[in-house]
Amino acid sequence: MALVLQAKDTLEWAYRGEGFVNLVLAYCGKSPDFVGKVLRMRKVPKYGSEYENGHSALTMHECLLWGELEGLVSAPTGEIAEQLYLQQVMCPLLGSKHVDAGIRVLVTREFLEAVENKVILLLLIMANAARVNPLRDSVLLVANHSIFPHGIKPKCGFLPISKFIAPENVVKRSITRFKMHQSLKLNQGKISQISKYDPLDVFSGSKDRVQNAMKSLFLTPQNNFQVFLNGSLIFGGLGGGADTTCMVDQEFDYSLKHVIRAEDGMRTKYFLELVTESVFKSGLLSLLLEVQKLDIFDIEGAIHSYYDIVSQPCMICRQKGVKERYASLHSIPRDQSLKLVRVYLISATAKDLSMMISFKSRENGDLESSCSTVYLESTDQIFYYKASFIDMDMKPLKKMERHYKLDQQIVSCYVQMKRAAKEVEDRESIKETPQIN
Ligand SMILES: [Zn+2]
C-alpha cells in the first residue's frame, strides 16, 4: 500500500482500546483500503526496552535463535520482527487463514503525535493515558473483528509431564498452571476472587465441558473473556488489569436483543451456546493445543538450555545444587539447545494468545462465502462466524529467567496455601472430635 498516514488522517481513526504493548484505533472513514480494519500501534514501553531506539529489534542471542528465519535478524524495528515472526512461525503452525498477520502502513511523526494528543484528550479521566511511541515510522493494519466479536484467552490447556520438573514441584502434573496462578494473584490482591474457569475444559474436545468453560468465563471473566458489540466493549475488561467490572446480567442480556432472537432473560444463555458451538465447530483449539504441547521440557528444563545459549553459568544448577540431574541437558549440542529454547518460546506465545470469534446473524438471501456458519438451535438462527488467533507476541529470550522465577513462585505459593488450608481443616476436625474424660 503506497500510502503514508498524515496528521489530518487521525480524524478517521477512533480509539478502540489498548493492551500492554499496543494501542488500537478503529477506522471510521470511507476509504475502501481501510474499511473494516484497525491499526495496532506500539505504546512507549513503561519499563524501557531494547526496542526503544528502533534500531535493533533482536538481541545478539535472539539472532542466534531466530537466525534461520528470513529477514528477522535484519528487521529494523520490533513491529517488523513481530510481523515476520507471525508470518514465518505462527502462520505455518496455526494455519494462515486463522492468523491475521496484518499489513505495515507507513505513518508520519505528525500522525503519531496527533493520535497521542487525541488519546490523551479522550483519556483525561483515566489515570494513565497511553503514550504512542513517536519514533516509529509504521503501524500495523489488521482486520477489525468488531462486527460482533468475542475474545477468549484460553491459556495453557495441558498438564506438563516433563521429567525435569523438580520433585518439590510435582503438583504441576495434576493442577493447572492457571488455577495455581489464580491463588498467587488472590494472595497478592490482584484479583478479588478465584476464576471458575478451567482451561482443561475448553481444550477437552467435549462439548459439555466447552459449554461449562464458557459459563465459567462469563461468571468470572477477568482478562480471559471479552464481548464487543459494534466495536464497543460490552463485557469484560480492556486493559492489563485482571479484575474487571462487568455489565450486570440483565443489562448484558438486553444489549444482545438485536443479535439473539429470544425473550428477556434468555439471551445470555443462548449467546453462550452460540459461542460454545462456534468454538467447538472451528476446531481451532485442538490446533492450538498441539502448538502448546511442543514444549515437552517445561520451563524447568528449558531454563538450563537458556543459560547455555547465553553462555552464562546455570543459576539453577548452582543455587539448587542439582548439577547431576540436569547434566544431560547441559551436554546436548548447541543447535539442540537452540531448538529446545525456540520451541519453548513458540509454545509460550501459544499459551498466551487470544482467540477472536466474530458473529453476524445471517439474514435472508445474504451470503458471505468467506465465513463459516453455525446454527443456534435454541433460537433457530444461523450465524456467520469467523474465528482467528490474535495477540501472538514473540516472547523475548531474556524473559526466560522471569518465566522460571514466576513458575516457582506460583507453585510454592499454591503449595503453601494448600498446606495452610489443610492445617486449619485438621485443627477444626480435632475440635469437632468428642473428648472423652
Ligand atoms: Zn542447569
Side-chain angles (χ1 to χ4, degrees):
M1 204 174 295
L3 193 89
V4 183
L5 293 177
Q6 316 279 345
K8 63 177 170 46
D9 297 317
T10 42
L11 293 172
E12 297 183 325
W13 295 92
Y15 175 79
R16 243 294 293 285
E18 63 194 273
F20 193 66
V21 213
N22 291 305
L23 183 84
V24 180
L25 301 176
Y27 186 64
C28 49
K30 293 196 167 60
S31 161
D33 284 339
F34 297 122
V35 167
K37 307 275 182 178
V38 295
L39 285 183
R40 277 178 58 164
M41 48 213 301
R42 286 273 163 158
K43 297 199 290 194
V44 170
K46 265 192 188 155
Y47 307 107
S49 113
E50 68 270 16
Y51 294 162
E52 242 166 320
N53 57 19
H55 291 308
S56 148
L58 301 187
T59 63
M60 185 181 85
H61 294 114
E62 281 173 332
C63 290
L64 285 174
L65 203 60
W66 305 110
E68 284 169 24
L69 300 175
E70 208 187 317
L72 205 67
V73 167
S74 54
T77 69
E79 281 114 338
I80 297 174
E82 291 274 351
Q83 202 191 358
L84 291 169
Y85 175 75
L86 270 186
Q87 285 167 349
Q88 295 181 48
V89 178
M90 300 316 284
C91 281
L93 288 170
L94 293 169
S96 50
K97 68 174 181 170
H98 305 308
V99 174
D100 186 353
I103 304 165
R104 210 161 52 86
V105 180
L106 295 175
V107 292
T108 60
R109 188 171 178 141
E110 290 71 31
F111 174 81
L112 296 174
E113 283 166 357
V115 166
E116 182 174 356
N117 289 336
K118 190 169 166 169
V119 170
I120 287 173
L121 273 177
L122 276 171
L123 299 182
L124 266 182
I125 34 165
M126 289 161 87
N128 50 359
R131 292 216 48 207
V132 173
N133 193 335
L135 301 178
R136 302 278 156 200
D137 61 0
S138 68
V139 293
L140 202 60
L141 184 69
V142 292
N144 183 359
H145 298 268
S146 72
I147 318 162
F148 180 35
H150 171 89
I152 302 169
K153 202 172 168 67
K155 302 307 287 185
C156 178
F158 72 100
L159 296 166
I161 50 166
S162 167
K163 63 174 178 179
F164 296 112
I165 293 174
E168 64 270 26
N169 297 334
V170 70
V171 64
K172 279 164 79 172
R173 294 174 197 263
S174 52
I175 308 287
T176 61
R177 153 79 173 227
F178 181 80
K179 185 172 177 181
M180 289 193 278
H181 201 179
Q182 286 284 309
S183 292
L184 178 66
K185 284 180 177 172
L186 188 72
N187 205 18
Q188 293 174 330
K190 286 184 181 166
I191 52 171
S192 55
Q193 82 179 111
I194 297 266
S195 172
K196 297 179 192 331
Y197 171 65
D198 179 355
L200 298 184
D201 278 341
V202 89
F203 287 98
S204 66
S206 136
K207 203 188 273 187
D208 285 347
R209 288 184 68 184
V210 175
Q211 174 114 18
N212 196 31
M214 293 309 139
K215 281 182 194 159
S216 307
L217 284 171
F218 183 74
L219 290 171
T220 43
Q222 297 188 1
N223 63 350
N224 301 99
F225 190 77
Q226 300 170 326
V227 183
F228 296 84
L229 182 62
N230 299 324
S232 314
L233 180 78
I234 60 165
F235 192 84
L238 266 184
D243 250 356
T244 50
T245 44
C246 298
M247 206 181 234
V248 287
D249 295 357
Q250 221 177 346
E251 216 179 312
F252 180 72
D253 198 88
Y254 185 74
S255 67
L256 297 176
K257 70 180 189 310
H258 296 299
V259 185
I260 310 274
R261 281 199 304 261
E263 56 193 90
D264 289 349
M266 294 305 287
R267 295 182 199 107
T268 305
K269 179 174 182 282
Y270 298 151
F271 165 68
L272 294 176
E273 282 177 19
L274 174 67
V275 178
T276 302
E277 204 64 46
S278 322
V279 166
F280 199 72
K281 205 176 163 188
S282 75
L284 251 61
L285 288 181
S286 51
L287 212 61
L288 180 62
L289 187 59
E290 291 305 310
V291 180
Q292 292 186 350
K293 281 184 167 174
L294 289 175
D295 167 33
I296 51 172
F297 294 97
D298 191 79
I299 183 67
E300 291 190 53
I303 190 72
H304 299 272
S305 295
Y306 163 80
Y307 285 111
D308 287 342
I309 290 174
V310 297
S311 307
Q312 280 175 25
C314 179
M315 295 306 287
I316 314 307
C317 287
R318 187 189 276 185
Q319 283 165 5
K320 288 195 162 185
V322 286
K323 250 196 181 112
E324 271 129 66
R325 193 190 302 150
Y326 300 103
S328 62
L329 268 179
H330 283 299
S331 62
I332 59 174
R334 192 169 177 79
D335 63 327
Q336 292 295 312
S337 305
L338 285 168
K339 188 180 170 198
L340 201 155
V341 167
R342 204 157 42 224
V343 161
Y344 170 80
L345 292 174
I346 292 171
S347 167
T349 297
K351 288 172 188 171
D352 203 34
L353 54 69
S354 297
M355 188 173 143
M356 189 73 121
I357 312 173
S358 310
F359 298 103
K360 190 181 171 197
S361 109
R362 190 173 92 173
E363 307 302 336
N364 291 338
D366 160 25
L367 281 175
E368 268 182 55
S369 55
S370 68
C371 294
S372 315
T373 57
V374 58
Y375 177 58
L376 181 59
E377 204 179 345
S378 303
T379 64
D380 189 27
Q381 277 177 283
I382 295 172
F383 289 87
Y384 286 114
Y385 79 95
K386 190 170 175 13
S388 46
F389 295 113
I390 56 165
D391 296 339
M392 285 160 286
D393 301 326
M394 182 175 170
K395 302 292 172 194
L397 176 66
K398 67 170 186 190
K399 283 240 178 105
M400 284 190 65
E401 278 187 307
R402 209 186 295 172
H403 285 195
Y404 180 82
K405 280 182 192 139
L406 179 63
D407 185 69
Q408 302 296 299
Q409 193 189 5
I410 286 171
V411 177
S412 72
C413 172
Y414 183 79
V415 170
Q416 277 170 28
M417 281 173 80
K418 277 279 148 192
R419 198 177 294 150
K422 174 127 195 344
E423 275 167 19
V424 170
E425 207 175 278
D426 290 350
R427 235 175 287 141
E428 297 293 314
S429 73
I430 290 170
K431 268 188 224 157
E432 279 161 23
T433 314
Q435 301 289 313
I436 300 160
N437 294 319

